[in-house]
Amino acid sequence: EDNGGLFVFGFPLTRTYMEVSTDGKSYLTQYFERARFEYHPENVAPYDVLLTLVGNEVIANRKTEQPFLPVPNPNNGSAYFADTGHTLSGDFLVFWQRWGGLQNFGFPWSEPFQEVNSVDGKTYTVQYFERQRFEWHPENIATPYDVLLGRVGVEDARQRGLLGTAPFQPLPANTGSDDNCTFVATTGHRICFAFRAYWQSHGLQLG
């Protein structure tokens, strides 16, 4: 799990800035490729960093589609989440449990179904969660990468017309790291303080 932070959240896409969240309140926020971090100083660490329900935002207009409709408990050994009325099983369940469960991904919002990937145009079995989308990649079978995460941070920002706005503009290439912040040259942004601590708690050390 040495690359857990990168694998689960991706690279940072923005600087930190104040943004209105799904609860209507404003929080210090930072976008990553696969997540959006919010700083909640009212909570004790590690719960001072919470992940926005970007999965909910990405599927906001799709909840009447068949895969998103609640199902009854099949009582077949699958995990069943009465909060959303969906199941979780197989490799998706193993991945969910291994990489952070409810805290990182939230409850499932769909059953597994086939969907065309907007990046490569290929069809994969996917399942949506409050904070993520899991994708089954059979070409990676027997490797740690048979389940991959969708770039829902990017998709959410694109859907909301935020890509290219000021917070997404990269910092100068000579921006450095210090005791409190790590500069990620790949995207030109820094991860600092509580956000960096949360990131590092998932395994990735940058610089």
Side-chain angles (χ1 to χ4, degrees), residues 101-129:
L102 198 60
Q103 185 177 7
N104 282 345
F105 308 123
F107 293 113
W109 259 126
S110 78
E111 295 300 295
F113 67 101
Q114 296 279 296
E115 182 174 73
V116 176
N117 187 289
S118 62
V119 176
D120 63 14
K122 297 180 180 179
T123 300
Y124 299 103
T125 297
V126 304
Q127 185 167 13
Y128 281 83
F129 296 79

Side-chain angles (χ1 to χ4, degrees), residues 83-102:
D83 299 74
T84 55
H86 288 288
T87 64
L88 186 54
S89 61
D91 287 343
F92 283 173
L93 175 58
V94 172
F95 188 98
W96 188 87
Q97 292 173 327
R98 178 183 180 189
W99 292 103
L102 198 60

Side-chain angles (χ1 to χ4, degrees), residues 183-199:
F183 179 64
V184 182
T186 304
T187 55
H189 290 287
R190 303 211 305 173
I191 310 174
C192 299
F193 297 101
F195 286 173
R196 187 173 71 170
Y198 189 89
W199 173 279

Side-chain angles (χ1 to χ4, degrees), residues 13-204:
L13 297 177
T14 68
R15 58 175 172 80
T16 55
Y17 69 104
M18 298 300 292
E19 183 175 275
V20 177
S21 186
T22 51
D23 64 1
K25 299 179 181 180
S26 294
Y27 301 100
L28 189 67
T29 299
Q30 186 169 18
Y31 278 76
F32 292 77
E33 290 177 298
R34 300 183 176 91
R36 192 163 89 218
F37 286 15
E38 296 174 358
Y39 181 59
H40 288 252
E42 72 276 14
N43 296 340
V44 176
Y47 303 106
D48 54 344
V49 176
L50 300 178
L51 304 187
T52 313
L53 304 179
V54 291
N56 287 6
E57 295 186 346
V58 168
I59 64 166
N61 298 321
R62 303 183 61 188
K63 291 184 179 179
T64 58
E65 296 177 19
Q66 185 63 43
F68 299 94
L69 299 179
V71 300
N73 188 341
N75 294 309
N76 62 359
S78 299
Y80 182 74
F81 297 87
D83 299 74
T84 55
H86 288 288
T87 64
L88 186 54
S89 61
D91 287 343
F92 283 173
L93 175 58
V94 172
F95 188 98
W96 188 87
Q97 292 173 327
R98 178 183 180 189
W99 292 103
L102 198 60
Q103 185 177 7
N104 282 345
F105 308 123
F107 293 113
W109 259 126
S110 78
E111 295 300 295
F113 67 101
Q114 296 279 296
E115 182 174 73
V116 176
N117 187 289
S118 62
V119 176
D120 63 14
K122 297 180 180 179
T123 300
Y124 299 103
T125 297
V126 304
Q127 185 167 13
Y128 281 83
F129 296 79
E130 291 178 300
R131 299 182 174 93
Q132 238 321 324
R133 180 183 66 246
F134 289 10
E135 302 173 353
W136 168 247
H137 285 255
E139 72 277 11
N140 297 334
I141 196 70
T143 78
Y145 308 108
D146 52 357
V147 176
L148 296 178
L149 297 175
R151 299 176 75 232
V152 293
V154 176
E155 294 171 20
D156 180 50
R158 181 185 298 115
Q159 187 170 297
R160 299 170 64 215
L162 298 177
L163 294 179
T165 59
F168 287 80
Q169 298 301 314
L171 297 169
N174 62 352
T175 301
S177 300
D178 55 40
D179 290 343
N180 299 312
C181 298
T182 297
F183 179 64
V184 182
T186 304
T187 55
H189 290 287
R190 303 211 305 173
I191 310 174
C192 299
F193 297 101
F195 286 173
R196 187 173 71 170
Y198 189 89
W199 173 279
Q200 289 177 335
S201 73
H202 290 80
L204 184 66

